[in-house]
Amino acid sequence: MNPITEREIRASFVNCSKGEASRVGMPADLAELPWADLDFLGWRDPGAPERAYLVAERRGRIVGLSLRASGGSARGFASRSMCSICLTTRTAGGVALMTARRTGDAGRQGNSIGQYLCTDLACSLFVRGIKSSAVGSDLQESLDRPNRIVRTVANLNAFLDRVLAS
């Protein structure tokens, strides 16, 4: 992903109002992020931990989503759960259900799409082996790193397709 500015990020949100976008708490380290290793920019709002944001390059433009995060890890799973974007496993609390209000009429009617995502939205770093679970318990993959990245981007685009569908 190419570096993007705070202004570009705020203008990219497609599922919230301009007023809501203007109040988004930005990542403090925006200039220092490892942009070359990011398939998307994701972060939790430090002032409102239930709020999360995802910004990705898509079909030549930047698209941002406002997300609402659940308080805990995926329900119904024992001690591990899996992110549906990067397909990496996390221990308790490492994956949360996040919902994005849909765009268009569907979103105005209150419809949303839920997805289990890494709570810190660091999927790009997990898939590249730059970041690992705190207890070092990631499962072994049969795919090599480049193919894991391709799969992650495909899963991200499928999620974006569902949110952006009118």
Side-chain angles (χ1 to χ4, degrees), residues 121-144:
L121 296 161
C123 298
S124 300
L125 303 179
F126 283 116
V127 121
R128 285 170 173 76
I130 296 169
K131 193 170 183 177
S132 63
S133 296
V135 293
S137 63
D138 290 339
L139 296 176
Q140 289 295 324
E141 275 272 8
S142 59
L143 290 178
D144 61 7

Side-chain angles (χ1 to χ4, degrees), residues 48-90:
E50 74 284 355
R51 302 297 297 165
Y53 306 97
L54 186 151
V55 177
E57 291 178 15
R58 179 162 168 77
R59 297 183 181 142
R61 70 180 187 124
I62 299 170
V63 175
L65 297 180
S66 174
L67 306 167
R68 174 127 356 235
S70 67
S73 63
R75 305 289 186 248
F77 294 93
S79 61
R80 291 178 175 244
S81 47
M82 183 179 285
C83 173
S84 60
I85 299 291
C86 62
L87 298 184
T88 56
T89 58
R90 300 279 151 276

